Each structure stands twice: as structure tokens, then as C-alpha cells.
Amino acid sequence: MASNKMNASTSNAPKSALFQPLEIGGLTLPNRIVMAPLTRARAGVERMANEMMAEYYTQRASAGLIISEATVVSEQGIGWPQSPGIYNDEMAERWKIVVDSVHEAGGRIFLQLWHTGRASHSDFHDGDLPVAPSAIAIEGDGVHTPSGKKPYEVPRALETNELPGIVEDYRKAAERAKSAGFDGVEIHSANGYLLDEFLQSKSNHREDQYGGSIENRYRLLGEVVDAVTSVWPNDRVGVRLAPNGSFNDMGSPDYIEQFTYVARQLDQYGLAYLHVMDGTGFGFHELGPAMTLADFRKVFSGTLMGNVGYTRESAEEEIVDGAADLIAFGRPYISNPDLVERFENGWPLADAADMSVWYSHDAEGYTDFPTYQAESKQHESCGAK
């Protein structure tokens, strides 16, 4: 347990870079610590946000910004058991429970928009194959389905005339996110899901205007960004990229050229931020040097967010050096609902949550992690007996 002396000296120290406010899109973030999107599978088989999810996010409302778990924009986009959706009006209404609770606690929250693409299974789609830019299966140990883990299937390649409908799904999801009261949205174009699959030459072997060249592979993401920014102000929309990632069997030989081009295109929008998974702890394709925030800073002039494997110290360094404006933390937020306060006061982090409870579908390993102060009071109470 941290001593009172340490707490006092820490509180009198100058505010570190992590705790300087930042404005995006007229929102004032009180600190640079972002809660990263974390799939937690608590939305039930009906894929509706609920009171338990509201409690979970509200416990973490001291983050400068919360990015919600990935939320599917259509039934076709489903690829994870009990993940939430935003593809009908009832879903939007249920998300209000979460958003209102976070706002009442003084927090800010963006909704992450998701289509899983080939990282899905026919079990989610009444026997229909998952869709992708090309009929190329993920090589891996299998996909979690409602009836257990199963081998990946060869997906169905999307027809060119289907793509405007997918873009429209994102636009409608953005509208519903707005009606639910979210502060903004993040477009998930990372980690081997549909938009990332289109970006990367490894998974996109198309011969139409959505494949073949770096420019063509970017086309679908560009159309989605155009659609979403027709609903939201540009500076309330973020985009997430994973240039170094191997998750879902990704990693393309021309990754540097592809993601440099993508960042240049996105720089023209004046987005809320570009969220780059610049770390390698989530899987690294090892096809060359890892792309860094400094690489993106050369071609993207807006707000940059780093993610994957950061500590309080390394996050501080990136912000002080000017490489990043925000740093997102994922796994530490599972067992540390008060991560901001722990960082600010120099309190130790809780032990990492066991992976067995990450997706347990109930409150265990979800809303039952105490804050440092609550834990300290419990220890003091036990000591007094």
C-alpha cells in the first residue's frame, strides 16, 4: 500500500503531461489517458447494451476518453458471441443506458463501429459464409462461435455492388450512435476485421476498383469515413489502424507504403484522432521494422493516439516527446477501473485479470474489481479487527 507521505508528495508535484487537458471536437478531455476498446461479451444473445455494461463503463469514467467495445454495424458484421450491436433502433435506445450513466459520472465516450469480415463463421449467419474482400481464409487455431471453437472457413468474396450497402450500414450505425448520445464514433479499421482486410494486400486480392493498388485498397475505408462524417462533425470521428499487427492472420509486405498512404489520406479530414496500434504486444508480423508514432507524425498532423503495451512511464515519454497526444490502455483497464487515479497518485496496479474471466458473460471479472482506495479501506478494516 502506498504511504500517505508518498501520496502527499505526489499530489504536490507539477501535473505530468498525461494529466494535461486536451480538446478534441469541442470536448475537453481532462487527461490524455484513453480507455481502449475491449471486447467483453456482456451484451447477451440479443446483443443489447444493459445495466451491467453501464456500471462497467461508469466505473472507468475518469478516463480522458472511453472508446466502447467494438459494436457491429449490421447482422452481417457479427463475429463474436454476445458482443453488442447498433444496427436497429432498439439497440440505440439501450445504449443510452450506458451513455447517460457515463455522462452523469462526468465521462466522455465514443462508440467503436465494427464489421468482423472474414473473422467470423457461418454459425453466426444461419449457415451463410462470412464475407471478405477475397475468398481467403484466416490461418489460425479457429474462431469462437456460439457453439464452441471451430475452424476458420473460406469466406465469400463480396461483390462490387454489395459495397455501397456496407458503407450505408456504417452511416446508419453512426446515426444511431448519435441518437444514443455518444460523444463521437471510432471506425475500427484494424486487427484483421473487414476494413483492415480491404486495406491489406495479404487479404485483398480483388481485381475491381477496391483492390490491386494501395489507392484502391484504401477506397472502402475512405467511403466509410465519408459516410460517417456526413453524420458526425469530422472532429468527432476517430479511425483505428494496426500497421504492425498479425492478429487474425494479418501482415502485408507493403505495410509501410499502405499505412503511410492511409494516414496521409485521413489527415485531410481533420479527424478527432488517428488511433494507431503502434506496439507489437498484440502480435507482430515481423515483415520489417515496426511502424512508430513518429512515423505517423510525419504524415498525420492531427491528434495521434498510441496503443498496445504502454506503461504510465512510456506513455508519458511519448506525450512529452510529441510523438503522441493520447495513449490508450486496454488490459490494465480490466482490473483497474481507477487507472487514472492509480497513475496520478503513484498507486500500484492491481494484478492482471485472468483471461478466463475476460469473456465470462457475467459480472465476474467485469464489474467486481475494486478501486485502490476501496481495497485499502478493506485492508485497514481487516487490520483493525
Side-chain angles (χ1 to χ4, degrees):
M1 190 187 303
S3 70
N4 290 333
K5 184 178 178 183
M6 186 180 83
N7 292 345
S9 63
T10 306
S11 63
N12 292 331
K15 263 196 175 177
S16 77
L18 266 183
F19 296 94
Q20 297 296 331
L22 179 71
E23 187 166 305
I24 57 168
L27 279 178
T28 300
L29 313 187
N31 58 67
R32 310 299 183 94
I33 298 164
V34 176
M35 179 181 168
L38 292 161
T39 297
R40 302 305 310 278
R42 262 68 175 197
V45 293
E46 70 279 9
R47 302 188 180 277
M48 299 277 184
N50 51 54
E51 295 285 356
M52 182 168 62
M53 290 167 61
E55 182 182 359
Y56 167 76
Y57 284 111
T58 304
Q59 288 172 342
R60 291 154 179 80
S62 60
L65 176 68
I66 292 171
I67 307 171
S68 83
E69 62 209 276
T71 301
V72 288
V73 300
S74 64
E75 291 186 80
Q76 184 193 69
I78 293 168
W80 196 278
Q82 300 194 32
S83 62
I86 189 79
Y87 50 82
N88 63 45
D89 292 342
E90 187 183 357
M91 287 172 162
E93 195 66 29
R94 293 286 288 275
W95 268 113
K96 286 182 182 177
I97 300 168
V98 175
V99 174
D100 290 349
S101 183
V102 169
H103 284 163
E104 284 166 18
R108 296 136 300 276
I109 183 168
F110 277 32
L111 180 75
Q112 191 188 58
L113 305 175
W114 193 31
H115 188 308
T116 64
R118 68 177 185 168
S120 184
H121 192 275
S122 57
D123 280 5
F124 289 106
H125 307 290
D126 296 323
D128 290 339
L129 288 171
V131 298
S134 303
I136 303 168
I138 291 175
E139 290 186 18
D141 65 349
V143 56
H144 294 278
T145 80
S147 50
K149 203 167 190 181
K150 296 191 176 180
Y152 287 105
E153 299 166 310
V154 177
R156 177 179 70 80
L158 285 157
E159 299 292 337
T160 306
N161 63 11
E162 293 180 273
L163 298 179
I166 290 176
V167 173
E168 178 65 5
D169 288 336
Y170 277 92
R171 191 193 66 78
K172 287 180 178 173
E175 280 189 339
R176 290 191 173 103
K178 202 169 192 180
S179 73
F182 281 95
D183 297 300
V185 293
E186 176 177 287
I187 298 166
H188 194 350
S189 185
N191 299 351
Y193 298 116
L194 186 71
L195 296 178
D196 193 25
E197 293 162 19
F198 268 86
L199 286 181
Q200 298 214 37
S201 59
K202 182 173 187 178
S203 47
N204 183 344
H205 294 185
R206 298 177 72 89
E207 296 179 355
D208 63 359
Q209 65 266 39
Y210 292 90
S213 67
I214 283 171
E215 294 80 6
N216 281 356
R217 292 198 304 269
Y218 165 77
R219 189 182 304 274
L220 184 62
L221 173 58
E223 290 178 355
V224 168
V225 174
D226 286 342
V228 171
T229 55
S230 75
V231 175
W232 286 90
N234 294 29
D235 56 10
R236 291 296 186 99
V237 176
V239 176
R240 189 188 211 197
L241 302 174
N244 305 318
S246 62
F247 189 72
N248 280 327
D249 192 27
M250 298 308 286
S252 304
D254 55 357
Y255 69 103
I256 293 176
E257 294 84 358
Q258 183 68 57
F259 285 99
T260 300
Y261 177 82
V262 171
R264 280 201 175 104
Q265 297 308 302
L266 295 177
D267 191 43
Q268 300 172 42
Y269 285 91
L271 297 172
Y273 58 79
L274 181 61
H275 180 178
V276 180
M277 299 184 72
D278 59 301
T280 57
F282 198 61
F284 179 34
H285 52 59
E286 298 182 350
L287 294 170
M291 292 188 75
T292 65
L293 292 176
D295 294 328
F296 281 89
R297 188 62 94 189
K298 292 172 188 172
V299 293
F300 187 83
S301 60
T303 299
L304 263 181
M305 181 188 302
N307 188 356
V308 184
Y310 278 95
T311 63
R312 185 205 187 286
E313 292 72 27
S314 61
E316 178 91 17
E317 285 171 15
E318 291 292 334
I319 292 170
V320 168
D321 291 347
D325 302 289
L326 296 161
I327 298 293
F329 295 85
R331 293 178 185 180
Y333 255 117
I334 294 177
S335 54
N336 296 277
D338 57 340
L339 188 68
V340 167
E341 291 78 10
R342 289 180 189 250
F343 280 171
E344 192 168 22
N345 293 288
W347 298 334
L349 298 189
D351 293 338
D354 190 89
M355 198 178 289
S356 65
V357 299
W358 288 7
Y359 316 114
S360 68
H361 305 318
D362 56 29
E364 183 190 1
Y366 189 59
T367 55
D368 57 351
F369 293 104
T371 64
Y372 178 79
Q373 287 179 305
E375 202 170 32
S376 299
K377 283 177 184 173
Q378 188 179 7
H379 288 319
E380 287 170 11
S381 172
C382 291
K385 293 174 184 177

